């Protein structure tokens, strides 16, 4: 087939598919559905798209050589002011200080988005343990997030357990679920593992959806209390006899902004703890064993490492972070339903890990910011969110298949006498 | 009970209809270099896989330091003090050289998570010991300057040496090498020859060696076993093997 023909065919396919997807819409007229052709605006977009596909296919080789030039395989070097560990520590302090001050100088909406971003950072970091470090493709991570969220919501609803007591329990329960999932999938790798974990995540969601007596089913659980600040509530009025509110205690006027700020700061603390814990884990025997397992399971066994316990460890510890994040999510939202824990959430968290560069913590943070802040900035493109998401993934695979910031190997100094 | 380090009796491995190993016996004594030779596809690697717990042999016994190990999983056998290399090098390629050696010391490592989080003195001491042992073996195999290089970026000969160092940091009693000289140049082979002899004489460990390089095998082996098409063909000292007419016919003759 000549290049012109193949370009023509590609353009035709775009026209047919796009014509149905963009060019027509269904509107209801009474009880009937009527097919309507779209506005000329959309038609123009479609036409431009078709021409673009035609040209791209026609000049495929030129475009290919251009993108391959764009592709940067070398690792990104750290900028010069971040070379020594002293400088790094100083800048880390600087950034943390900035993050702590952030809610006091920005709008309520921005703080809210930042809190959401922090939740995704935590989820990304947790999944990074399983996927990035241990190399176990887990598509059901959202299941553990759900376990964490429902742990707090249910414990509170039935036993009146407060957030701070429920937080460790939620982490523990999610860890337990991670451990239990670990068992049946011990022998699976790659695609098979992905499918089974995907199923596991769906089972949890469907269970929550159908066990109406316990979980309220699709209606979810509402009025989940917010965390308290050493027992002080952020409500306008105390929720019960004897409780004190934050503004009364400090003798300041009520403002709903305190709550937003507090939630943000709490999420920040949780993320910092997560970062530290995983940073330590990577430098401990268990973290090194995870990576070794990702590299070569047979070599691991030949050196006396038991792949079973290492995998279970990765699933358990990875899931516990989702549990913490989940209970915080429930407390922040005040309302949860199975809707919040669909597969698309798992996909987004996985995208964060992959975009960030498997294994790299800083990469995960950057990717989480990109994945949550960009859609907020591009609100008007909301309809095309998934399209943009796909486009971003494709561009990443062309430009940096290894992720934004691939994991940097720790440099270990040998003391020689 | 014998004073053998390793006694393999009547080892048999069947893959479906294929009898890959049939009735092979092996004995390795303390501080011995024992070689297994045979033509391609003779079943040498399969013997290794059975002994080191990667395959469960169809029949036979594997006794190591007075313990029956047949059918035990590979990682438990490694912990008994029997570690191996692979015919096609298996390093943790994206990890650094030193990290490869730290992972290998997993069984000597401090596993308490809390001690690791809070970096207790005990944990630090343990990590330092592992680093020192790693440095020691890197120096022995001449890779010290590459300590922070990714293992996958090393030259082939260096990767082979790293694999041996990775076994040695586990402090084994028996080291099993599957064709360690394959792909090495004559200089590297000579260095390997010296290293293996040193491991026996200075480290006091035993070595079970699969090798096609007859110069190397005849030069350093205390005992040689010949396998042909899964069957044991002959056993003896290098001189005996070189004089054995069956061996010459089946194996050396082809060379
Ligand atoms: N997992 C397996 N499944 C089926 N057949 C196998 C398996 N492993 C080995 N074999 C067969 O067993 C026979 C012996 O193979 P093995 O690898 O042990 O030979 P070898 O002596 O190590 O040869 P080489 O010198 O080429 O390394 C071969 O015919 C091989 O195809
Ligand atoms: Mg072989």
């Amino acid at each position: 087939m000549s290049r012109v023909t193949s370009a023509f065919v590609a353009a035709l396919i775009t026209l047919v598919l796009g014509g149905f997807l963009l060019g027509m819409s269904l509107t209801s007229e009474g009880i009937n559905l009527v097919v309507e052709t779209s506005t000329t605006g959309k038609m123009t977009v479609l036409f431009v798209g078709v021409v673009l596909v035609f040209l791209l296919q026609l000049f495929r080789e030129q475009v290919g050589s251009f993108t391959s030039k764009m592709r940067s395989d070398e690792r990104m070097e750290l900028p010069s002011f971040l070379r020594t560990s002293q400088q790094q520590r100083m800048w880390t302090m600087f950034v943390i200080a900035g993050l702590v001050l952030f809610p006091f100088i920005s709008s309520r909406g921005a703080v809210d988005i930042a809190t959401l971003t922090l939740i995704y950072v935590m989820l990304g970091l947790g999944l990074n343990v399983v996927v990035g470090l241990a190399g176990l493709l887990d598509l059901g991570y959202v299941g553990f997030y759900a376990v964490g969220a429902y742990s707090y919501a249910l414990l509170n609803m039935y036993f009146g357990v407060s957030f701070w007591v429920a937080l460790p329990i939620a982490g523990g329960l999610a860890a337990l679920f991670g451990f239990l999932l670990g068992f049946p999938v011990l022998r699976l790798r790659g695609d098979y593992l992905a499918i089974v974990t995907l199923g596991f995540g769906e089972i949890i969601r469907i269970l929550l959806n159908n066990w109406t007596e316990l979980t309220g089913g699709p209606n979810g659980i509402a009025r989940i209390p917010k965390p308290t600040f050493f027992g002080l509530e952020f409500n306008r009025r105390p929720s019960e006899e004897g409780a004190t509110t934050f503004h009364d205690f400090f003798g300041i006027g009520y403002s709903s902004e305190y709550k937003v700020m507090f939630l943000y700061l709490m999420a920040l603390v949780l993320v910092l703890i997560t970062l530290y814990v995983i940073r330590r884990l990577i430098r401990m025997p268990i973290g090194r064993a995870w990576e070794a397992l990702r590299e070569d399971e047979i070599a691991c066994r030949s050196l006396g490492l038991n792949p079973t316990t290492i995998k279970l460890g990765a699933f358990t510890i990875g899931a516990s972070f989702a549990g913490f994040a989940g209970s915080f999510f429930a407390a922040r939202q005040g309302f949860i339903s199975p809707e919040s824990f669909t597969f698309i959430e798992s996909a987004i968290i996985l995208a964060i890990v992959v975009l960030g560069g498997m294994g790299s913590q800083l990469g995960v943070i950057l990717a989480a910011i990109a994945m949550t802040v960009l859609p907020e900035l591009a609100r008007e493109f909301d309809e095309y969110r998934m399209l943009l998401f796909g486009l971003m993934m494709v561009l990443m695979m062309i430009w940096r298949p290894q992720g934004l910031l691939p994991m940097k190997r720790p440099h270990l100094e040998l003391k020689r006498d | 009970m014998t004073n053998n380090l390793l006694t393999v009796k009547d080892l048999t491995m069947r893959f479906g209809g294929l009898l890959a190993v049939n009735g092979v016996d092996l004995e390795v004594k303390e501080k011995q270099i024992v070689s297994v030779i045979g033509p391609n596809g003779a079943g040498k690697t399969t013997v290794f896989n059975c002994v080191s717990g990667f395959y469960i042999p169809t029949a036979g016994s594997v006794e190591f330091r007075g313990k029956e190990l047949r059918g035990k999983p590979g990682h438990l056998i490694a912990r008994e003090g029997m570690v191996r290399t692979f015919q096609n090098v298996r390093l943790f390629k994206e990890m650094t050289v030193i990290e490869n050696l730290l992972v290998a010391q997993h069984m000597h490592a401090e596993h308490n998570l809390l001690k690791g989080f809070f970096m207790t003195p005990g944990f630090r001491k343990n990590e330092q010991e592992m680093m020192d042992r790693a440095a020691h073996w890197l120096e022995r195999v001449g890779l010290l300057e590459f300590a922070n290089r990714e293992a996958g970026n090393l030259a082939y000969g260096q990767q082979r040496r790293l694999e041996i160092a990775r076994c040695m940091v586990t402090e084994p009693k028996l080291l099993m090498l599957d064709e360690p000289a394959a792909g090495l140049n004559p200089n590297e082979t000579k260095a390997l020859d010296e290293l293996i002899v040193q491991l026996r004489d200075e480290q006091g460990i035993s070595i079970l060696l699969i090798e096609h390089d007859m110069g190397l095998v005849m030069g350093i082996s205390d005992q040689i076993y010949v396998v042909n098409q899964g069957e044991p063909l002959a056993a003896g000292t290098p001189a005996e093997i070189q004089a054995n007419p069956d061996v010459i016919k089946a194996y050396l003759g082809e060379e």
Side-chain angles (χ1 to χ4, degrees):
Chain A
M1 223 184 341
S2 83
R3 217 184 297 153
V4 183
T5 348
S6 73
F8 185 74
V9 171
L12 196 70
I13 294 174
T14 318
L15 183 66
V16 172
L17 284 180
F20 281 112
L21 293 175
L22 285 174
M24 298 175 190
S25 59
L26 291 173
T27 42
S28 53
E29 223 168 62
I31 50 165
N32 297 323
L33 281 176
V34 196
V35 180
E36 273 185 357
T37 41
S38 306
T39 55
T40 42
K42 278 198 179 161
M43 285 304 188
T44 329
V45 171
L46 179 63
F47 180 70
V48 171
V50 170
V51 171
L52 208 66
V53 168
F54 182 76
L55 290 177
L56 275 179
Q57 287 298 323
L58 199 58
F59 300 105
R60 192 143 126 210
E61 271 145 52
Q62 287 87 330
V63 174
S65 70
F66 176 70
T67 50
S68 66
K69 241 178 266 154
M70 231 168 71
R71 192 191 195 111
S72 51
D73 279 329
E74 83 291 352
R75 308 225 139 158
M76 230 189 261
E77 273 296 317
L78 284 171
S80 59
F81 60 88
L82 275 176
R83 288 281 157 71
T84 68
S85 63
Q86 235 172 347
Q87 283 170 328
Q88 280 176 6
R89 206 167 306 146
M90 207 184 76
W91 278 95
T92 312
M93 287 298 159
F94 216 67
V95 170
I96 293 177
L99 287 173
V100 171
L101 290 178
F102 173 75
F104 301 99
I105 52 173
S106 52
S107 73
R108 182 183 165 148
V111 177
D112 234 5
I113 295 173
T115 313
L116 188 70
T117 306
L118 287 170
I119 295 180
Y120 277 104
V121 169
M122 205 163 150
L123 289 168
L125 291 173
L127 184 61
N128 192 30
V129 167
V130 186
V131 179
L133 295 177
L136 304 163
L137 186 50
D138 182 351
L139 292 182
Y141 194 63
V142 75
F144 308 123
Y145 186 39
V147 167
Y150 271 87
S151 298
Y152 171 46
L154 293 174
L155 280 173
N156 182 271
M157 188 162 84
Y158 290 106
F159 305 106
V161 176
S162 78
F163 174 77
W164 292 107
V165 178
L167 182 70
I169 300 178
L173 278 175
L176 179 69
F177 271 75
F179 184 76
L180 292 178
L181 168 68
F183 267 107
V185 302
L186 276 175
R187 290 167 185 284
L188 305 179
R189 277 201 86 86
D191 314 351
Y192 299 101
L193 179 67
I195 291 167
V196 175
T197 51
L198 172 74
F200 184 78
E202 284 298 284
I203 288 172
I204 291 194
R205 187 179 62 80
I206 292 168
L207 191 76
L208 293 172
N209 213 3
N210 289 306
W211 198 350
T212 322
E213 303 92 82
L214 184 76
T215 65
N219 296 334
I221 299 173
R223 303 186 39 189
I224 306 165
K226 298 271 179 296
T228 57
F229 178 71
F230 295 103
L232 300 176
E233 296 177 352
F234 287 89
N235 304 336
R236 189 183 288 274
R237 279 183 205 85
S239 61
E240 55 191 77
E241 211 49 46
T244 323
T245 61
F246 182 79
H247 61 280
D248 279 345
F249 186 84
F250 287 101
I252 44 180
Y254 171 77
S255 162
S256 62
E257 286 197 9
Y258 297 144
K259 183 173 71 192
V260 178
M261 284 183 194
F262 175 64
L263 284 172
Y264 167 85
L265 290 173
M266 234 187 89
L268 184 62
V269 170
L270 285 176
V271 164
L272 289 176
I273 293 174
T274 307
L275 266 175
Y276 177 75
V277 167
I278 295 179
R279 197 186 137 85
R280 281 298 316 144
L281 282 172
I282 294 175
R283 286 160 178 73
M284 277 158 57
I286 186 170
R288 291 191 291 256
W290 285 337
E291 288 196 73
L293 188 74
R294 175 193 68 203
E295 298 290 301
D296 195 327
E297 184 170 337
I298 289 179
C300 279
R301 267 199 285 160
S302 80
L303 295 165
L305 281 73
N306 184 353
T308 307
T309 50
I310 297 170
K311 277 187 201 174
L312 285 177
F315 273 120
T316 310
I317 293 179
S320 69
F321 291 111
F324 293 128
S327 64
F328 176 78
F329 173 76
R332 169 179 179 263
Q333 298 299 95
F335 167 77
I336 52 168
S337 78
E339 277 288 285
S340 317
F341 308 104
T342 51
F343 169 67
I344 192 72
E345 289 293 315
S346 283
I348 289 175
I349 305 166
L350 186 66
I352 287 174
V353 175
V354 175
L355 281 183
M358 303 275 233
S360 145
Q361 302 228 70
L362 193 55
V364 166
I365 296 174
L366 293 180
I369 294 172
M371 292 293 292
T372 47
V373 176
L374 288 184
E376 290 297 333
L377 294 181
R379 267 281 160 101
E380 54 271 41
F381 299 115
D382 211 31
E383 282 177 67
Y384 306 109
R385 189 160 159 180
M386 286 336 260
L387 214 62
L388 288 177
F389 186 66
L391 189 68
M392 190 153 95
M393 284 307 233
V394 171
L395 287 180
M396 275 302 288
M397 288 306 116
I398 294 172
W399 175 57
R400 285 189 81 82
Q402 72 279 49
L404 285 173
L405 270 180
M407 186 171 183
K408 202 166 151 280
R409 306 297 338 159
H411 183 95
L412 295 168
E413 216 44 67
L414 288 171
K415 220 171 47 193
R416 299 303 295 150
D417 29 35
Chain B
M1 209 180 119
T2 55
N3 60 348
N4 285 347
L5 193 60
L6 175 73
T7 314
V8 176
K9 279 210 191 91
D10 202 24
L11 190 76
T12 302
M13 183 77 214
R14 188 184 277 282
F15 296 110
L18 177 81
L19 201 54
V21 176
N22 188 12
V24 168
D25 294 333
L26 284 178
E27 278 184 15
V28 182
K29 296 193 169 59
E30 301 256 351
K31 298 193 189 186
Q32 255 195 347
I33 297 174
V34 176
S35 296
V36 180
I37 61 172
N40 287 108
K44 306 177 296 291
T45 300
T46 306
V47 169
F48 257 39
N49 284 336
C50 289
V51 171
S52 58
F54 285 84
Y55 294 159
I56 298 175
T58 316
S61 75
V62 177
E63 196 183 286
F64 183 64
R65 299 211 286 161
K67 257 194 208 170
E68 177 57 47
L69 294 184
R70 183 175 95 100
K72 283 213 176 180
H75 65 272
L76 291 185
I77 291 183
R79 287 180 201 177
E80 293 289 334
M82 173 161 38
V83 295
R84 62 172 296 184
T85 64
F86 295 86
Q87 189 166 346
N88 39 352
V89 185
R90 282 182 172 273
L91 291 172
F92 306 121
K93 290 205 176 67
E94 288 190 9
M95 301 174 80
T96 62
V97 167
I98 191 98
E99 283 179 305
N100 267 269
L101 298 187
L102 293 178
V103 168
Q105 297 177 63
H106 197 74
M107 45 180 151
H108 305 300
E110 171 61 68
H111 289 284
N112 189 318
L113 289 183
L114 289 179
K115 286 187 186 170
F117 281 133
F118 298 110
M119 289 192 271
T120 60
F123 176 80
R124 283 165 189 265
K125 183 159 161 282
N126 182 268
E127 287 279 299
Q128 192 55 51
E129 280 166 7
M130 293 201 294
M131 288 290 277
D132 290 345
R133 203 177 292 129
H136 170 80
W137 280 103
L138 281 183
E139 197 159 37
R140 283 288 293 269
V141 299
L143 291 175
L144 196 56
E145 56 186 311
F146 303 111
N148 280 297
R149 230 2 128 71
E150 272 176 41
N153 292 344
L154 295 179
Y156 188 72
Q158 296 171 331
Q159 295 198 9
R160 285 238 173 245
R161 274 181 282 155
L162 177 57
E163 210 186 12
I164 295 179
R166 196 176 64 174
C167 287
M168 288 313 298
V169 294
T170 68
E171 309 199 312
K173 303 283 182 306
L174 175 67
L175 175 64
M176 300 167 68
L177 303 173
D178 195 345
E179 301 197 19
L184 299 192
N185 65 35
N187 283 335
E188 288 174 323
T189 307
K190 195 162 156 287
L192 176 73
D193 181 314
E194 284 161 13
L195 177 66
I196 295 176
V197 171
Q198 275 175 15
L199 291 182
R200 176 191 60 188
D201 297 343
E202 292 168 22
Q203 232 61 38
I205 66 168
S206 302
I207 289 118
L208 186 60
L209 177 72
I210 295 179
E211 191 42 71
H212 280 299
D213 183 324
M214 282 307 129
L216 180 74
V217 170
M218 296 301 164
I220 62 175
S221 302
D222 297 307
Q223 181 78 9
I224 297 176
Y225 289 87
V226 188
V227 205
N228 190 24
Q229 297 186 347
E231 312 268 348
L233 186 69
T237 60
E240 288 166 3
I241 295 296
Q242 275 166 313
N244 187 317
D246 287 341
V247 177
I248 294 169
K249 202 166 112 232
Y251 187 76
L252 297 176
E254 303 173 350
E255 296 271 300

